[in-house]
Amino acid sequence: MHVPDGFIDAPVSVAAGVLAAGAVAVSLRGARRELDERTAPLAGLVAAFIFAVQMLNFPVAAGTSGHLMGGALAAILVGPCTAVLCLSVVLLLQGIFFADGGLTALGVNITVMGVVTVVVAYAVFRLLTGLLPRTRRSATASAFVAALVSVPASAAAFTLLYWIGGTTDIPIGKVFTAMVGVHVLIGIGEAVITGLTVGAVLAVRPDLVHGVQGSPVAPLKLRIDGELVDAPAATRDPEPAPARRSTRGFWITGLVSALLLAGFVSFYASADPDGLERVAADQGIDEKVEEHGAADSPLADYGVGDIANARLSGGLAGVIGVSATVVVGTGVFWVVRRREEGPGEEPGQAPHDRDHENA
């Protein structure tokens, strides 16, 4: 759902840009609490993985495709604030280098794809995981539902912006019905990808899934004289926390997977227009679409200029995109993490540990 230039008028695009900038500023502060020495590089990996999977358009109806937005996946894996930054990095690189998503519409895209999806998905996920038993299946199912809901919510957010500042005079009811309808179908694909990915990470490294950390544990119940009562709290000394496992192998596996998806699997993606493009063409929303400011980029439309072979051109563009995203994303998150560490602190010291020491 990359919104191009010309769909939304200048005043609303500027307002969306201000909103997006505010969300990014808030997320920068919040991400300092979510990131540590392990999760900072993993956040860059999540951004790169989302970039790769967004290249894999899948068919959802006759002549229409969809792709992962990634808000739910990022929020569950690395936290909501870090997720907003992940999506912002991806959308910025896509807009500047790959001519995907308008430059003047960058604020619209960050708001719709990088803020709304994250907020809605994480709220739904935390609600469901709080209600359901604390099992891997429940967490995976919660991720599925959260991702499913987040996509039509994003479509509804675009419709709201279009209602306020659309450049063509189309009945808003028709736009809403078409946008939400097709994005419910896309949401199913998003839910499948998110559920499978979250389930896979939970199976091998549940300690790296932010969304399941810190969940309250119900007190143990004992039956005394036929009545259930809370068990007394344990009085023995707590056991020392186990040493943290290295994330190097997980990071390498994830990066290789992203490179393979973008460099090879993306060649087999659907060439049909995505949900927004289809609705725009059918409803006349694209009557005033503008040429992308980066249309002359050597990587425009996810191909490398001067390389005639489509498979090689697209694959190389995908590899370049994943590599750039992981480098930029990891760099951003390391800077954010380092700024949280005050003078005299050990690198990677957890924020709650510092708070305890300062108490």
Side-chain angles (χ1 to χ4, degrees):
M1 196 201 295
H2 293 75
V3 182
D5 296 323
F7 278 22
I8 307 294
D9 64 23
V12 176
S13 294
V14 171
V18 172
L19 178 61
V24 169
V26 171
S27 297
L28 283 169
R29 294 180 62 86
R32 296 170 192 166
R33 295 289 179 177
E34 294 172 351
L35 296 170
D36 57 30
E37 76 281 1
R38 298 182 310 156
T39 56
L42 290 176
L45 175 62
V46 168
F49 185 80
I50 289 172
F51 180 97
V53 181
Q54 283 194 0
M55 295 181 65
L56 309 180
N57 281 47
F58 48 83
V60 296
T64 307
S65 69
H67 62 72
L68 180 84
M69 290 191 190
L73 179 62
I76 294 167
L77 291 181
V78 294
C81 293
T82 307
V84 170
L85 300 182
C86 283
L87 269 295
S88 298
V89 168
V90 171
L91 291 168
L92 181 63
L93 293 177
Q94 288 173 334
I96 293 176
F97 296 106
F98 296 88
D100 192 8
L103 297 179
T104 62
L106 180 60
V108 173
N109 283 313
I110 290 177
T111 299
V112 170
M113 295 179 63
V115 177
V116 172
T117 57
V118 167
V119 171
V120 171
Y122 197 69
V124 172
F125 181 80
R126 294 297 290 181
L127 174 64
L128 292 177
T129 53
L131 296 174
L132 298 175
R134 292 186 59 195
T135 65
R136 192 176 77 196
R137 285 187 178 181
S138 296
T140 302
S142 299
F144 181 96
V145 175
L148 176 61
V149 173
S150 70
V151 176
S154 179
F158 167 79
T159 305
L160 175 62
L161 293 178
Y162 183 80
W163 179 50
I164 299 171
T167 56
T168 54
D169 187 16
I170 309 295
I172 196 62
K174 296 176 68 174
V175 176
F176 178 83
T177 301
M179 282 294 293
V180 173
V182 72
H183 282 89
V184 166
L185 299 178
I186 294 172
I188 296 173
E190 176 108 8
V192 170
I193 295 171
T194 302
L196 289 175
T197 305
V198 171
V201 178
L202 284 172
V204 296
R205 292 299 301 268
D207 58 307
L208 299 180
V209 181
H210 179 278
V212 300
Q213 306 303 320
S215 299
V217 180
L220 178 66
K221 297 287 187 178
L222 297 178
R223 185 175 296 277
I224 300 178
D225 296 332
E227 182 179 357
L228 285 176
V229 298
D230 290 344
T235 57
R236 62 183 179 87
D237 293 335
E239 296 179 359
R244 288 185 173 183
R245 295 166 58 189
S246 171
T247 60
R248 179 178 301 176
F250 182 88
W251 191 91
I252 293 174
T253 301
L255 180 59
V256 170
S257 300
L259 289 170
L260 288 174
L261 290 172
F264 178 73
V265 181
S266 63
F267 180 77
Y268 301 97
S270 172
D272 291 331
D274 69 16
L276 175 59
E277 293 171 331
R278 172 58 66 186
V279 171
D282 291 345
Q283 302 297 328
I285 295 174
D286 60 356
E287 289 180 2
K288 297 185 179 180
V289 66
E290 301 173 4
E291 184 180 10
H292 200 285
D296 295 330
S297 167
L299 296 172
D301 297 324
Y302 298 95
V304 177
D306 300 327
I307 296 182
N309 185 288
R311 184 191 297 269
L312 179 60
S313 177
L316 184 57
V319 169
I320 292 172
V322 168
S323 302
T325 304
V326 77
V327 169
V328 174
T330 303
V332 167
F333 295 122
W334 268 118
V335 170
V336 171
R337 176 60 192 163
R338 295 291 296 178
R339 287 187 62 185
E340 175 65 6
E341 295 170 355
E345 294 175 350
E346 292 293 329
Q349 186 177 5
H352 64 272
D353 292 338
R354 293 193 298 274
D355 295 341
H356 178 73
E357 291 174 2
N358 293 334

Short mmCIF file of all heavy atoms in Angstrom, two decimals, residues 26-43 74-86 118 122 126 207-211 213 244 333 336-337 340 348-352 354:
data_model
loop_
_atom_site.label_atom_id
_atom_site.label_comp_id
_atom_site.label_asym_id
_atom_site.label_seq_id
_atom_site.Cartn_x
_atom_site.Cartn_y
_atom_site.Cartn_z
N VAL A 26 8.80 10.16 19.15
CA VAL A 26 8.36 9.41 20.33
C VAL A 26 8.97 8.01 20.32
O VAL A 26 9.41 7.48 21.36
CB VAL A 26 6.83 9.34 20.38
CG1 VAL A 26 6.36 8.39 21.48
CG2 VAL A 26 6.24 10.73 20.60
N SER A 27 9.02 7.40 19.14
CA SER A 27 9.55 6.04 19.03
C SER A 27 11.04 5.99 19.32
O SER A 27 11.54 5.00 19.85
CB SER A 27 9.27 5.49 17.63
OG SER A 27 7.87 5.39 17.40
N LEU A 28 11.77 7.06 18.96
CA LEU A 28 13.20 7.10 19.27
C LEU A 28 13.42 7.02 20.77
O LEU A 28 14.33 6.33 21.25
CB LEU A 28 13.81 8.38 18.70
CG LEU A 28 14.08 8.39 17.19
CD1 LEU A 28 14.45 9.79 16.73
CD2 LEU A 28 15.20 7.41 16.84
N ARG A 29 12.59 7.73 21.52
CA ARG A 29 12.72 7.68 22.98
C ARG A 29 12.30 6.33 23.52
O ARG A 29 12.97 5.74 24.38
CB ARG A 29 11.87 8.79 23.62
CG ARG A 29 12.35 10.19 23.30
CD ARG A 29 11.47 11.24 23.97
NE ARG A 29 11.52 11.11 25.41
CZ ARG A 29 12.43 11.68 26.19
NH1 ARG A 29 13.38 12.42 25.65
NH2 ARG A 29 12.41 11.51 27.49
N GLY A 30 11.19 5.80 23.00
CA GLY A 30 10.71 4.51 23.48
C GLY A 30 11.64 3.36 23.10
O GLY A 30 11.80 2.40 23.87
N ALA A 31 12.25 3.45 21.93
CA ALA A 31 13.12 2.36 21.48
C ALA A 31 14.34 2.21 22.36
O ALA A 31 14.91 1.13 22.47
CB ALA A 31 13.54 2.61 20.03
N ARG A 32 14.77 3.30 23.00
CA ARG A 32 15.92 3.21 23.91
C ARG A 32 15.63 2.28 25.07
O ARG A 32 16.56 1.71 25.68
CB ARG A 32 16.29 4.60 24.42
CG ARG A 32 16.76 5.55 23.32
CD ARG A 32 16.88 6.96 23.84
NE ARG A 32 17.05 7.90 22.73
CZ ARG A 32 16.92 9.22 22.84
NH1 ARG A 32 16.61 9.76 24.01
NH2 ARG A 32 17.08 9.99 21.80
N ARG A 33 14.36 2.14 25.42
CA ARG A 33 13.98 1.22 26.49
C ARG A 33 13.78 -0.20 25.99
O ARG A 33 13.81 -1.15 26.78
CB ARG A 33 12.67 1.71 27.14
CG ARG A 33 12.82 3.05 27.86
CD ARG A 33 13.62 2.89 29.12
NE ARG A 33 13.82 4.15 29.82
CZ ARG A 33 14.44 4.25 30.99
NH1 ARG A 33 14.92 3.16 31.57
NH2 ARG A 33 14.61 5.42 31.57
N GLU A 34 13.53 -0.35 24.70
CA GLU A 34 13.27 -1.68 24.15
C GLU A 34 14.55 -2.37 23.68
O GLU A 34 14.60 -3.60 23.61
CB GLU A 34 12.29 -1.57 22.97
CG GLU A 34 10.90 -1.11 23.36
CD GLU A 34 10.01 -0.82 22.17
OE1 GLU A 34 10.53 -0.81 21.02
OE2 GLU A 34 8.81 -0.61 22.37
N LEU A 35 15.57 -1.60 23.34
CA LEU A 35 16.77 -2.16 22.74
C LEU A 35 17.85 -2.45 23.79
O LEU A 35 17.99 -1.71 24.75
CB LEU A 35 17.33 -1.19 21.70
CG LEU A 35 16.45 -0.93 20.48
CD1 LEU A 35 17.01 0.22 19.66
CD2 LEU A 35 16.34 -2.18 19.62
N ASP A 36 18.59 -3.51 23.58
CA ASP A 36 19.79 -3.78 24.36
C ASP A 36 20.87 -4.27 23.40
O ASP A 36 20.72 -4.18 22.19
CB ASP A 36 19.53 -4.78 25.49
CG ASP A 36 18.97 -6.10 25.01
OD1 ASP A 36 19.29 -6.50 23.86
OD2 ASP A 36 18.24 -6.77 25.75
N GLU A 37 21.97 -4.77 23.94
CA GLU A 37 23.08 -5.14 23.06
C GLU A 37 22.75 -6.30 22.13
O GLU A 37 23.38 -6.48 21.09
CB GLU A 37 24.33 -5.48 23.89
CG GLU A 37 24.31 -6.85 24.57
CD GLU A 37 23.47 -6.87 25.85
OE1 GLU A 37 22.89 -5.83 26.21
OE2 GLU A 37 23.42 -7.93 26.49
N ARG A 38 21.73 -7.08 22.47
CA ARG A 38 21.33 -8.19 21.59
C ARG A 38 20.31 -7.74 20.56
O ARG A 38 20.38 -8.12 19.40
CB ARG A 38 20.73 -9.33 22.41
CG ARG A 38 21.66 -9.97 23.42
CD ARG A 38 20.94 -11.11 24.11
NE ARG A 38 19.63 -10.69 24.61
CZ ARG A 38 18.61 -11.52 24.82
NH1 ARG A 38 18.73 -12.78 24.54
NH2 ARG A 38 17.46 -11.05 25.31
N THR A 39 19.33 -6.94 20.99
CA THR A 39 18.20 -6.64 20.12
C THR A 39 18.48 -5.50 19.14
O THR A 39 17.75 -5.37 18.16
CB THR A 39 16.96 -6.28 20.96
OG1 THR A 39 17.28 -5.20 21.85
CG2 THR A 39 16.51 -7.48 21.78
N ALA A 40 19.50 -4.68 19.38
CA ALA A 40 19.81 -3.61 18.43
C ALA A 40 20.15 -4.17 17.05
O ALA A 40 19.55 -3.74 16.05
CB ALA A 40 20.94 -2.73 18.96
N PRO A 41 21.08 -5.12 16.92
CA PRO A 41 21.32 -5.69 15.59
C PRO A 41 20.14 -6.50 15.07
O PRO A 41 19.91 -6.57 13.85
CB PRO A 41 22.56 -6.57 15.79
CG PRO A 41 22.61 -6.85 17.25
CD PRO A 41 22.04 -5.65 17.93
N LEU A 42 19.37 -7.12 15.96
CA LEU A 42 18.21 -7.89 15.52
C LEU A 42 17.13 -6.97 14.93
O LEU A 42 16.42 -7.35 14.01
CB LEU A 42 17.64 -8.70 16.68
CG LEU A 42 18.50 -9.87 17.15
CD1 LEU A 42 17.88 -10.53 18.36
CD2 LEU A 42 18.67 -10.88 16.03
N ALA A 43 17.03 -5.75 15.46
CA ALA A 43 16.06 -4.81 14.91
C ALA A 43 16.42 -4.45 13.48
O ALA A 43 15.55 -4.33 12.61
CB ALA A 43 16.01 -3.55 15.78
N ALA A 74 7.00 -6.73 13.10
CA ALA A 74 8.04 -5.96 13.77
C ALA A 74 7.68 -5.65 15.22
O ALA A 74 8.51 -5.75 16.12
CB ALA A 74 8.32 -4.67 13.01
N ALA A 75 6.43 -5.25 15.45
CA ALA A 75 6.01 -4.88 16.81
C ALA A 75 6.13 -6.06 17.76
O ALA A 75 6.57 -5.91 18.91
CB ALA A 75 4.58 -4.37 16.78
N ILE A 76 5.74 -7.25 17.32
CA ILE A 76 5.78 -8.43 18.18
C ILE A 76 7.22 -8.87 18.44
O ILE A 76 7.57 -9.26 19.55
CB ILE A 76 4.96 -9.57 17.56
CG1 ILE A 76 3.47 -9.18 17.52
CG2 ILE A 76 5.14 -10.87 18.33
CD1 ILE A 76 2.62 -10.08 16.65
N LEU A 77 8.07 -8.78 17.42
CA LEU A 77 9.44 -9.27 17.58
C LEU A 77 10.33 -8.30 18.35
O LEU A 77 11.13 -8.74 19.19
CB LEU A 77 10.06 -9.54 16.20
CG LEU A 77 9.49 -10.72 15.42
CD1 LEU A 77 10.22 -10.87 14.09
CD2 LEU A 77 9.57 -12.02 16.22
N VAL A 78 10.24 -7.00 18.07
CA VAL A 78 11.20 -6.06 18.66
C VAL A 78 10.56 -4.93 19.47
O VAL A 78 11.27 -4.09 20.01
CB VAL A 78 12.12 -5.45 17.57
CG1 VAL A 78 13.00 -6.53 16.97
CG2 VAL A 78 11.32 -4.74 16.49
N GLY A 79 9.24 -4.89 19.57
CA GLY A 79 8.58 -3.85 20.35
C GLY A 79 7.97 -2.78 19.47
O GLY A 79 8.46 -2.52 18.36
N PRO A 80 6.92 -2.12 19.92
CA PRO A 80 6.19 -1.16 19.07
C PRO A 80 6.99 0.07 18.67
O PRO A 80 6.91 0.51 17.52
CB PRO A 80 4.97 -0.79 19.92
CG PRO A 80 5.38 -1.09 21.33
CD PRO A 80 6.28 -2.28 21.24
N CYS A 81 7.76 0.63 19.58
CA CYS A 81 8.54 1.82 19.24
C CYS A 81 9.63 1.49 18.24
O CYS A 81 9.82 2.21 17.24
CB CYS A 81 9.14 2.45 20.50
SG CYS A 81 7.91 3.14 21.62
N THR A 82 10.35 0.42 18.48
CA THR A 82 11.38 -0.01 17.54
C THR A 82 10.76 -0.39 16.20
O THR A 82 11.35 -0.16 15.14
CB THR A 82 12.17 -1.19 18.11
OG1 THR A 82 12.66 -0.84 19.41
CG2 THR A 82 13.33 -1.57 17.22
N ALA A 83 9.55 -0.95 16.23
CA ALA A 83 8.87 -1.34 14.99
C ALA A 83 8.56 -0.13 14.12
O ALA A 83 8.71 -0.18 12.90
CB ALA A 83 7.58 -2.09 15.32
N VAL A 84 8.13 0.97 14.72
CA VAL A 84 7.86 2.19 13.95
C VAL A 84 9.14 2.65 13.26
O VAL A 84 9.13 3.06 12.09
CB VAL A 84 7.31 3.30 14.86
CG1 VAL A 84 7.26 4.64 14.13
CG2 VAL A 84 5.91 2.94 15.35
N LEU A 85 10.27 2.56 13.94
CA LEU A 85 11.54 2.95 13.34
C LEU A 85 11.94 1.97 12.23
O LEU A 85 12.46 2.39 11.20
CB LEU A 85 12.63 2.99 14.42
CG LEU A 85 12.39 3.98 15.57
CD1 LEU A 85 13.58 3.95 16.54
CD2 LEU A 85 12.17 5.39 15.06
N CYS A 86 11.70 0.68 12.42
CA CYS A 86 11.99 -0.31 11.38
C CYS A 86 11.24 0.03 10.10
O CYS A 86 11.82 0.07 9.00
CB CYS A 86 11.59 -1.71 11.85
SG CYS A 86 12.70 -2.50 13.03
N VAL A 118 1.34 -0.82 13.39
CA VAL A 118 2.07 -1.18 14.61
C VAL A 118 1.19 -1.02 15.84
O VAL A 118 1.09 -1.92 16.69
CB VAL A 118 3.35 -0.34 14.75
CG1 VAL A 118 3.95 -0.48 16.15
CG2 VAL A 118 4.38 -0.74 13.70
N TYR A 122 -0.08 -4.33 17.84
CA TYR A 122 0.48 -4.60 19.16
C TYR A 122 -0.60 -4.56 20.23
O TYR A 122 -0.57 -5.37 21.18
CB TYR A 122 1.58 -3.59 19.48
CG TYR A 122 2.46 -4.04 20.62
CD1 TYR A 122 3.34 -5.11 20.47
CD2 TYR A 122 2.41 -3.41 21.87
CE1 TYR A 122 4.14 -5.55 21.51
CE2 TYR A 122 3.22 -3.84 22.91
CZ TYR A 122 4.08 -4.91 22.73
OH TYR A 122 4.87 -5.33 23.77
N ARG A 126 -1.27 -7.87 22.51
CA ARG A 126 -1.16 -7.86 23.96
C ARG A 126 -2.49 -8.20 24.63
O ARG A 126 -2.53 -8.86 25.67
CB ARG A 126 -0.65 -6.50 24.43
CG ARG A 126 0.77 -6.19 24.00
CD ARG A 126 1.77 -7.16 24.59
NE ARG A 126 1.93 -6.99 26.04
CZ ARG A 126 2.74 -7.70 26.79
NH1 ARG A 126 3.47 -8.66 26.25
NH2 ARG A 126 2.85 -7.47 28.08
N ASP A 207 13.24 -16.12 23.71
CA ASP A 207 13.78 -14.99 24.47
C ASP A 207 13.97 -13.75 23.61
O ASP A 207 14.18 -12.65 24.15
CB ASP A 207 15.13 -15.38 25.09
CG ASP A 207 16.15 -15.82 24.04
OD1 ASP A 207 15.81 -16.72 23.24
OD2 ASP A 207 17.27 -15.28 24.03
N LEU A 208 13.88 -13.90 22.29
CA LEU A 208 14.07 -12.76 21.39
C LEU A 208 12.75 -12.16 20.90
O LEU A 208 12.77 -11.24 20.09
CB LEU A 208 14.91 -13.19 20.18
CG LEU A 208 16.32 -13.69 20.48
CD1 LEU A 208 17.02 -14.08 19.20
CD2 LEU A 208 17.12 -12.63 21.24
N VAL A 209 11.63 -12.68 21.39
CA VAL A 209 10.32 -12.16 20.98
C VAL A 209 9.84 -11.17 22.04
O VAL A 209 9.42 -11.55 23.13
CB VAL A 209 9.30 -13.30 20.79
CG1 VAL A 209 7.95 -12.74 20.36
CG2 VAL A 209 9.81 -14.29 19.76
N HIS A 210 9.91 -9.89 21.72
CA HIS A 210 9.58 -8.84 22.68
C HIS A 210 8.15 -8.97 23.20
O HIS A 210 7.89 -8.76 24.38
CB HIS A 210 9.77 -7.46 22.03
CG HIS A 210 9.43 -6.32 22.92
ND1 HIS A 210 8.14 -5.87 23.12
CD2 HIS A 210 10.22 -5.51 23.69
CE1 HIS A 210 8.15 -4.86 23.96
NE2 HIS A 210 9.39 -4.62 24.31
N GLY A 211 7.23 -9.33 22.33
CA GLY A 211 5.82 -9.32 22.70
C GLY A 211 5.43 -10.30 23.78
O GLY A 211 4.37 -10.14 24.41
N GLN A 213 7.58 -11.13 26.33
CA GLN A 213 8.41 -10.91 27.51
C GLN A 213 7.64 -10.13 28.56
O GLN A 213 6.88 -9.23 28.25
CB GLN A 213 9.69 -10.14 27.16
CG GLN A 213 10.49 -10.76 26.03
CD GLN A 213 10.88 -12.20 26.33
OE1 GLN A 213 11.25 -12.54 27.45
NE2 GLN A 213 10.81 -13.03 25.31
N ARG A 244 23.12 -15.25 28.93
CA ARG A 244 22.39 -15.01 27.69
C ARG A 244 23.06 -15.75 26.54
O ARG A 244 24.27 -15.76 26.40
CB ARG A 244 22.35 -13.51 27.39
CG ARG A 244 21.43 -12.73 28.32
CD ARG A 244 21.36 -11.29 27.87
NE ARG A 244 20.37 -10.56 28.64
CZ ARG A 244 20.05 -9.29 28.42
NH1 ARG A 244 20.67 -8.62 27.47
NH2 ARG A 244 19.13 -8.70 29.14
N PHE A 333 19.83 1.76 15.01
CA PHE A 333 19.47 1.20 16.31
C PHE A 333 20.64 1.15 17.27
O PHE A 333 20.47 1.28 18.48
CB PHE A 333 18.84 -0.19 16.11
CG PHE A 333 17.54 -0.15 15.36
CD1 PHE A 333 17.37 -0.85 14.19
CD2 PHE A 333 16.51 0.65 15.81
CE1 PHE A 333 16.18 -0.80 13.49
CE2 PHE A 333 15.31 0.72 15.12
CZ PHE A 333 15.16 0.00 13.96
N VAL A 336 20.76 4.70 18.59
CA VAL A 336 19.68 4.88 19.56
C VAL A 336 20.03 4.20 20.87
O VAL A 336 19.84 4.77 21.96
CB VAL A 336 18.36 4.33 19.00
CG1 VAL A 336 17.27 4.31 20.09
CG2 VAL A 336 17.89 5.16 17.81
N ARG A 337 20.57 2.99 20.79
CA ARG A 337 20.91 2.25 22.00
C ARG A 337 22.04 2.92 22.77
O ARG A 337 21.99 3.04 23.99
CB ARG A 337 21.32 0.82 21.60
CG ARG A 337 21.79 -0.03 22.77
CD ARG A 337 20.72 -0.18 23.82
NE ARG A 337 21.26 -0.73 25.05
CZ ARG A 337 20.65 -0.67 26.22
NH1 ARG A 337 19.50 -0.06 26.34
NH2 ARG A 337 21.19 -1.21 27.30
N GLU A 340 21.22 5.85 24.99
CA GLU A 340 20.56 5.53 26.25
C GLU A 340 21.58 5.25 27.35
O GLU A 340 21.28 5.36 28.54
CB GLU A 340 19.63 4.33 26.07
CG GLU A 340 18.96 3.80 27.35
CD GLU A 340 18.01 4.79 27.98
OE1 GLU A 340 17.75 5.85 27.39
OE2 GLU A 340 17.53 4.51 29.08
N GLY A 348 25.35 -2.07 26.93
CA GLY A 348 24.33 -3.11 26.95
C GLY A 348 23.66 -3.28 28.29
O GLY A 348 22.85 -4.17 28.46
N GLN A 349 23.97 -2.44 29.28
CA GLN A 349 23.31 -2.58 30.58
C GLN A 349 21.84 -2.30 30.41
O GLN A 349 21.44 -1.32 29.80
CB GLN A 349 23.90 -1.59 31.58
CG GLN A 349 23.35 -1.77 33.00
CD GLN A 349 24.01 -0.81 33.97
OE1 GLN A 349 24.79 0.04 33.58
NE2 GLN A 349 23.69 -0.94 35.24
N ALA A 350 21.00 -3.16 30.93
CA ALA A 350 19.56 -3.04 30.72
C ALA A 350 19.04 -1.80 31.42
O ALA A 350 19.47 -1.44 32.51
CB ALA A 350 18.84 -4.28 31.27
N PRO A 351 18.02 -1.11 30.81
CA PRO A 351 17.49 0.11 31.41
C PRO A 351 16.95 -0.11 32.81
O PRO A 351 17.13 0.72 33.68
CB PRO A 351 16.38 0.50 30.43
CG PRO A 351 16.79 -0.13 29.13
CD PRO A 351 17.47 -1.38 29.49
N HIS A 352 16.27 -1.25 33.05
CA HIS A 352 15.70 -1.44 34.38
C HIS A 352 16.79 -1.64 35.43
O HIS A 352 16.60 -1.33 36.60
CB HIS A 352 14.70 -2.61 34.38
CG HIS A 352 15.34 -3.93 34.06
ND1 HIS A 352 15.48 -4.40 32.76
CD2 HIS A 352 15.87 -4.87 34.86
CE1 HIS A 352 16.06 -5.59 32.80
NE2 HIS A 352 16.31 -5.89 34.05
N ARG A 354 19.66 -0.03 35.37
CA ARG A 354 20.14 1.31 35.70
C ARG A 354 19.16 2.01 36.63
O ARG A 354 19.54 2.71 37.56
CB ARG A 354 20.33 2.11 34.40
CG ARG A 354 21.44 1.58 33.52
CD ARG A 354 21.78 2.59 32.44
NE ARG A 354 20.67 2.83 31.57
CZ ARG A 354 20.38 2.09 30.50
NH1 ARG A 354 21.12 1.03 30.22
NH2 ARG A 354 19.37 2.39 29.72
#
